[in-house]
Amino acid sequence: MEPTITVIDHSADLKQAFDIRKRVFVEEQGVPLSEEIDEWDQSAIHFLAVDREQAVGTARLRLPTKSTGKVERVAVLKSSRGSGLGHSLMVAIEDYARKQNVEELILNAQVQALDFYRKLGYRQQGPIFMDAGIEHMEMRKPL
């Protein structure tokens, strides 16, 4: 059975998304909680991936301009990595963005995830930079 990916419109679902982000970014990667949950969470569009009735992945999309979307906080629980769930999550975000007439998506990928995003058609932009103590690189994809 394929996982379902939905836009979050309920506070209980948002709590599940935050729990996934806390497990992946704070507990696994050591990002301070104060940096993980930020002021953009209130206005972002959040996505939740559910597999066998279990929330296993999340991401958020911000629309800084009418034509540009920024994908952030892409997180999949360790138990679901390598299953194609991250790919499905990104495709759902891209489909949603297209329906909003977004022309390009940008994201700041952790260096260890560059190949994942390259396979989805994202291209590296600029130098490596540090964010929350982790090496990142900006990537872009026209839609």
Side-chain angles (χ1 to χ4, degrees):
M1 184 178 198
E2 284 289 311
T4 45
I5 298 166
T6 58
V7 174
I8 294 173
D9 60 359
H10 187 270
S11 62
D13 291 338
L14 192 55
K15 182 187 179 318
Q16 290 180 77
F18 288 165
D19 287 346
I20 291 168
R21 286 170 43 186
K22 183 179 175 195
R23 286 174 61 184
V24 171
F25 297 122
V26 177
E27 294 170 13
E28 285 182 35
Q29 298 181 352
V31 174
L33 185 59
S34 61
E35 289 183 40
E36 177 49 36
I37 306 299
D38 64 18
E39 70 275 12
W40 300 113
D41 280 318
Q42 296 302 316
S43 58
I45 299 131
H46 296 268
F47 295 79
L48 188 66
V50 177
D51 189 23
R52 295 179 197 90
E53 300 182 27
Q54 181 77 26
V56 293
T58 189
R60 75 180 186 192
L61 174 67
R62 290 192 302 116
L63 302 171
T65 71
K66 286 184 178 184
S67 62
T68 304
K70 188 164 187 196
V71 180
E72 300 172 322
R73 307 302 201 267
V74 179
V76 174
L77 293 180
K78 192 181 284 190
S79 60
S80 294
R81 291 181 202 150
S83 68
L85 184 99
H87 179 271
S88 297
L89 185 58
M90 289 300 297
V91 168
I93 292 166
E94 291 171 8
D95 289 347
Y96 179 92
R98 282 186 193 93
K99 289 175 185 165
Q100 305 306 311
N101 298 313
V102 170
E103 298 170 11
E104 179 181 48
L105 288 177
I106 60 173
L107 55 84
N108 293 333
Q110 291 184 8
V111 169
Q112 51 92 9
L114 290 175
D115 284 341
F116 168 76
Y117 292 110
R118 279 189 202 113
K119 289 175 185 171
L120 288 162
Y122 290 81
R123 296 292 165 245
Q124 296 168 215
Q125 222 35 72
I128 291 173
F129 62 93
M130 297 299 283
D131 185 12
I134 300 168
E135 290 183 324
H136 285 73
M137 182 172 277
E138 182 179 308
M139 300 186 88
R140 295 178 173 261
K141 179 180 180 177
L143 295 181

